[in-house]
Amino acid sequence: DMRKEKFDFCLNEYQRQVQVRPTDAGLRAKLGDLLYSVQNFDAAAREYQRASVDPSMKRRCRKFMALCLYNTGKYQLAASQFEQAIEGGTAGNREVREIMYYLAVTLEELGEFARAEEALRKIFDADMSYKDVQERLDRVMQAKQEQGGAKPQGSGAGENT
């Protein structure tokens, strides 16, 4: 009961503040975070989209907007937002690497194995121990071959294990 009261209070307060200062990207992102925490993904995505106009918050907000879309089964739209969040970044950056991973998972879900492989290879090149990137890369490469989109490679998958 206390958690619900606290949540309701915070939600009402952030909504009130956003009405007073509708262009405050920080408030919109906090409201998005609150809505995301209770899995209200549609409402959270709207707030993240509005907050993403602030260049300092663009990458984070696009990532969370994409996660909202992913969680509601809108994989194509999620992939597009993940790609926008990655723009200008490299896998050497921890946050970009995380977004690339989410992009790869989304592309795998869509059956776009070649693009998923590309994202996973970038992560692998930067940090081969990141999450399950090696296993996922092997799985994506196998799925790509089964799909008929890859030429057999002598040691391609073996190099990554």
Side-chain angles (χ1 to χ4, degrees), residues 141-154:
M141 289 170 57
Q142 181 65 38
K144 184 177 146 188
Q145 285 182 345
E146 289 170 6
Q147 194 178 51
K151 298 173 190 158
Q153 295 177 345

Side-chain angles (χ1 to χ4, degrees), residues 17 20 26 50 67 72 87 90 118-119 142-143:
Q17 288 183 30
V20 173
R50 290 177 181 137
L67 287 169
T72 55
E87 283 178 8
T90 67
E118 181 183 341
Q142 181 65 38

Side-chain angles (χ1 to χ4, degrees), residues 20-38:
V20 173
R21 298 191 317 238
T23 59
D24 187 325
L27 284 175
R28 293 237 179 236
K30 287 178 182 177
L31 179 55
D33 292 344
L34 189 64
L35 293 165
Y36 186 90
S37 74
V38 293

Side-chain angles (χ1 to χ4, degrees), residues 77-145:
L77 294 171
S80 174
Q81 292 305 312
F82 284 133
E83 287 170 338
Q84 287 182 45
I86 291 168
E87 283 178 8
T90 67
N93 175 298
R94 187 178 52 81
E95 184 179 26
V96 173
R97 192 166 45 244
E98 177 185 30
I99 298 167
M100 283 180 174
Y101 182 83
Y102 291 140
L103 173 62
V105 168
T106 305
L107 293 171
E108 187 178 357
E109 188 76 35
L110 288 167
E112 296 187 29
F113 302 118
R115 290 177 60 206
E117 178 185 359
E118 181 183 341
L120 290 167
R121 282 189 183 276
K122 288 177 184 176
I123 297 166
F124 181 84
D125 289 345
D127 181 1
M128 65 191 293
S129 64
Y130 187 78
K131 294 189 180 188
D132 66 341
V133 74
Q134 290 184 50
E135 296 83 13
R136 189 172 290 276
L137 182 57
D138 287 340
R139 191 171 58 243
V140 165
M141 289 170 57
Q142 181 65 38
K144 184 177 146 188
Q145 285 182 345

